[in-house]
């Protein structure tokens, strides 16, 4: 496939304001793609060059991109920078700049050529690599048409922003090869256990649905984590879980870590499926030392436990380890303990379809625990009193709460899902009137008066999982420190787009001055949820009403969360109903 075909499809995707059109455009594109290319096309659509977990990125910053544009166009760097200041995007600069160098050779770029180029860029390392990366990009730009250049630069700098989410792409694959987007679930399952949409697409094209159903759990390929629901009152937990026996586990405030052990080879993945092995050399050692099975996949939490004073350090302390340099020194200052709460695979056998009690028994059988690595502490109970008293003892020990887990026969590990088999209860839920939500920022209004020059408020949305779109819940302007406020334009500079993104639903009254591609997540505290004609969360087209969060206040940025991991509209509806029913 010519890269020009893909680039013009990207243009159409950018121009559409409907998610259904997006799916139709993508389905047509995918249907005409060969098995060698379909994986690459999927990665490119998502703005990547390989599966997210592989960590393979071109790693080109704006300055290198500017230098490549200048070299390819035969103009000086200053004129590239001037155009960038005016247009705000190096992709647009590459597309619009008058090219004084001769236009590229007659041979058009193919999708595979471009992928090969980006892989070479990604693999360039050592002295002189920045220059090598720049030259490879310049060579591709020199051979490209203006539209191709726009997307080459955006792919290189990691700023594609087409607004296509994983679920939209899976819908398009289902429509292209299985006849309808209603056929998405088996594809979604394969994606949830492989985290590689390119692999799912290639298998679907080459081997059909039966091939997709046979995609196995594989070591060193992360499984998308199962997530916990929440309730507004602790008393709702037994009924919601609906199993006579409930496991109540300690809830740790650390970093979610999925550990893959393959003999001595250990890989660790974060909640966003990023390879964080190098950040936790101590956990790698603990897994090697104490997991007796030859191969295994564990799910758990890395926590900073201070054995001297017998208490946990907060999450922020652990986050100081998110660094590239001095990892070992920081690891010895803040040693990490691994509290394991699930077992997903052992000695070649996936455990996802086993019940929680079976998985837990399997975990205890292959882990010889010590101070550094151990299964999550828990109790088994059948009633609310048991849950309450364990919760209180957790809080006394400095933990943030509990996670209750179903012990029913169907308590499988539901990769990527947030269902009622797991329910979390935290100390900050105690104030019954207050809810915190993790919302996606989709726009902002210009600041006035004291806030001139920055944003006055940001428009926040919940994620509608069924429709794979973002629906607004509130506009938030309070709770920010002066420094947070001043920093807003910088924080959102790289996600600013010039029109309403296709997967964002907004009423005309709520339309913001500036639009952002759904990318950044913020934790928001609110007083209550009410019906509203202004916000589109759970929008009822007949009554022209949605749900809104009243008195929203900024709590903190949740940069570790993807937009699709934000609070869902279904969760907002559940909160609204419970309040109304006298919660
Ligand atoms: P979520 O992960 O549910 O989207 P979040 O990132 O805001 O939400 P929390 O609301 O604090 O996190 O709760 C869920 C997280 O709690 C899990 O993702 C996991 O990292 C952590 N956790 C700690 N202890 C446990 C446990 N025993 N079982 C499951 N998860 C646990």
């Amino acid at each position: 496939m010519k890269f020009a075909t893909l680039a013009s499809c990207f243009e159409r995707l950018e121009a559409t304001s409907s998610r259904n059109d997006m799916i139709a455009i993508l389905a047509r594109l995918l249907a005409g793609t060969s098995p060698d290319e379909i994986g690459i096309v999927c990665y490119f659509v998502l703005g990547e060059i390989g599966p997210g977990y592989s960590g393979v990125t071109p790693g080109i910053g704006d300055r290198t991109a500017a230098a490549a544009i200048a070299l390819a166009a035969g103009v000086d760097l200053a004129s590239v920078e001037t155009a960038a200041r005016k247009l705000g995007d190096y992709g647009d600069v590459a597309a619009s700049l008058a090219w004084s160098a001769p236009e590229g050779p007659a041979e058009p770029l193919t999708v595979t050529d471009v992928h090969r180029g980006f892989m070479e860029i990604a693999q360039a390392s050592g002295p002189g690599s920045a220059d090598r990366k720049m030259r490879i990009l310049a060579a591709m730009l020199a051979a490209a048409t203006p539209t191709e250049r726009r997307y080459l630069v955006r792919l290189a700098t990691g700023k594609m922003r087409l607004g296509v989410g994983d679920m939209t792409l899976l819908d398009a694959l289902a429509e292209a090869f299985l006849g309808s987007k209603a056929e998405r679930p088996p594809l979604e399952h394969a994606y949830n256990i492989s985290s590689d949409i390119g692999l799912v697409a290639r298998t679907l094209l080459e081997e059909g649905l039966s091939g997709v159903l046979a995609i196995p759990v594989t070591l060193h390929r992360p499984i998308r984590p199962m997530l916990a629901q929440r309730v507004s009152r602790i008393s709702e937990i037994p009924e919601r879980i609906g199993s006579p026996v409930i496991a109540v586990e300690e809830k740790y405030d650390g970093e979610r870590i999925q550990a893959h052990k393959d003999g001595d080879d250990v890989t660790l993945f974060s909640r966003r499926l990023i390879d964080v092995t190098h950040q936790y050399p101590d956990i790698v050692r603990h897994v090697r030392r104490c997991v007796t099975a030859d191969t295994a996949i564990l799910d758990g939490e890395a926590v900073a436990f201070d054995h001297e004073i017998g208490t946990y350090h907060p999450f922020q302390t652990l986050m100081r380890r998110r660094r590239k340099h001095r990892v070992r020194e920081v690891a010895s200052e803040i040693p990490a303990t691994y509290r394991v709460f699930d077992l997903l695979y052992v000695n070649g056998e996936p455990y996802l379809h086993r019940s929680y009690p079976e998985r837990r028994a399997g975990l205890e059988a292959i882990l010889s625990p010590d101070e550094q690595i151990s299964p999550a502490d828990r109790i088994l109970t059948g009633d609310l009193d048991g849950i309450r008293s364990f919760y209180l003892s957790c809080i006394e020990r400095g933990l943030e709460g509990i996670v209750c887990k179903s012990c029913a026969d169907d308590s499988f590990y539901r990769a990527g899902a947030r269902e009622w088999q797991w329910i979390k209860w935290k100390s900050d839920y105690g104030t019954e009137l207050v809810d915190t939500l993790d919302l996606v920022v989709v726009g902002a209004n210009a600041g006035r008066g004291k806030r001139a020059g920055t944003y006055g408020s940001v428009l926040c949305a919940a994620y509608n999982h069924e429709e794979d779109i973002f629906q607004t819940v509130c506009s938030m302007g309070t709770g920010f420190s002066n420094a947070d406020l001043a920093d807003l334009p910088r924080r959102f500079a790289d996600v600013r787009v010039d029109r309403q993104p296709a997967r964002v639903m907004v009423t005309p009254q709520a339309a913001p001055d500036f639009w952002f591609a759904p990318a950044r997540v913020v934790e928001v505290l609110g007083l209550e949820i009410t019906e509203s004609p202004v916000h589109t969360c759970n929008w009822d087209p007949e009554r022209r009403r949605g749900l809104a969060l009243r008195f929203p206040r900024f709590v903190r940025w949740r940069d570790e969360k993807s937009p699709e991991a934000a609070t869902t509209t279904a969760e907002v509806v559940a909160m609204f109903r419970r309040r109304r029913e006298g919660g």
Side-chain angles (χ1 to χ4, degrees), residues 135-199:
R135 285 180 191 281
I136 301 171
L137 178 60
M140 291 200 283
L141 288 171
T145 63
T147 309
E148 288 177 299
R149 285 180 215 141
R150 168 178 293 120
Y151 296 106
L152 283 173
V153 170
R154 288 189 187 166
L155 275 168
T157 51
K159 292 178 184 159
M160 270 296 270
R161 299 190 306 244
L162 292 178
V164 177
D166 305 353
M167 295 304 141
T168 304
L169 191 50
L170 288 172
D171 274 346
L173 283 167
E175 196 149 301
F177 300 107
L178 302 173
S180 151
K181 66 178 184 182
E183 304 299 319
R184 180 179 95 192
L187 306 185
E188 190 175 338
H189 174 73
Y191 175 54
N192 283 337
I193 63 166
S194 68
S195 308
D196 185 348
I197 219 160
L199 172 78

Side-chain angles (χ1 to χ4, degrees), residues 501-523:
R503 287 162 67 225
V504 174
M505 182 180 177
V506 177
T507 62
Q509 297 97 298
D513 296 334
F514 306 102
W515 292 104
F516 301 146
R520 303 273 142 78
V521 177
V522 62
E523 188 172 330

Side-chain angles (χ1 to χ4, degrees), residues 227-228 249-252 256 271 301 341 376 400 403 405 418 422 424 426 429 438 558 561 565:
L227 303 171
E249 293 186 351
E250 291 184 342
K251 183 175 193 309
Y252 309 102
R256 181 108 180 226
R271 187 182 183 295
E301 193 90 350
F341 48 74
E400 66 165 1
V403 184
K405 298 184 176 177
R418 189 189 295 283
W422 286 13
K424 55 193 178 189
K426 293 203 264 191
Y429 298 172
D438 293 326
R558 300 295 308 257
K561 282 205 157 186

Side-chain angles (χ1 to χ4, degrees), residues 371-383:
E371 271 193 344
Q372 267 82 40
I373 177 168
S374 54
D377 282 333
R378 61 167 199 168
I379 57 148
L380 295 175
T381 180
D383 60 33

Side-chain angles (χ1 to χ4, degrees), residues 116-138:
R116 203 178 308 114
F118 279 131
M119 292 307 281
E120 267 180 56
I121 291 178
Q123 279 148 14
S125 63
S129 59
D131 188 59
R132 222 161 41 250
K133 284 172 188 260
M134 190 276 287
R135 285 180 191 281
I136 301 171
L137 178 60

Side-chain angles (χ1 to χ4, degrees), residues 389-438:
S389 66
F390 190 69
Y391 166 71
L392 290 175
S393 77
C394 286
I395 300 301
E396 273 164 21
R397 274 174 290 130
L399 290 153
E400 66 165 1
I402 51 174
V403 184
C404 297
K405 298 184 176 177
S406 163
C407 292
D409 290 347
D410 68 349
S411 54
F412 310 134
Y413 189 93
R414 291 169 166 82
R418 189 189 295 283
E419 288 171 21
W420 294 103
Q421 274 82 12
W422 286 13
I423 300 178
K424 55 193 178 189
W425 180 256
K426 293 203 264 191
S427 50
D428 58 1
Y429 298 172
T431 34
E432 296 269 7
L433 264 178
V434 173
D435 279 309
T436 76
L437 291 84
D438 293 326

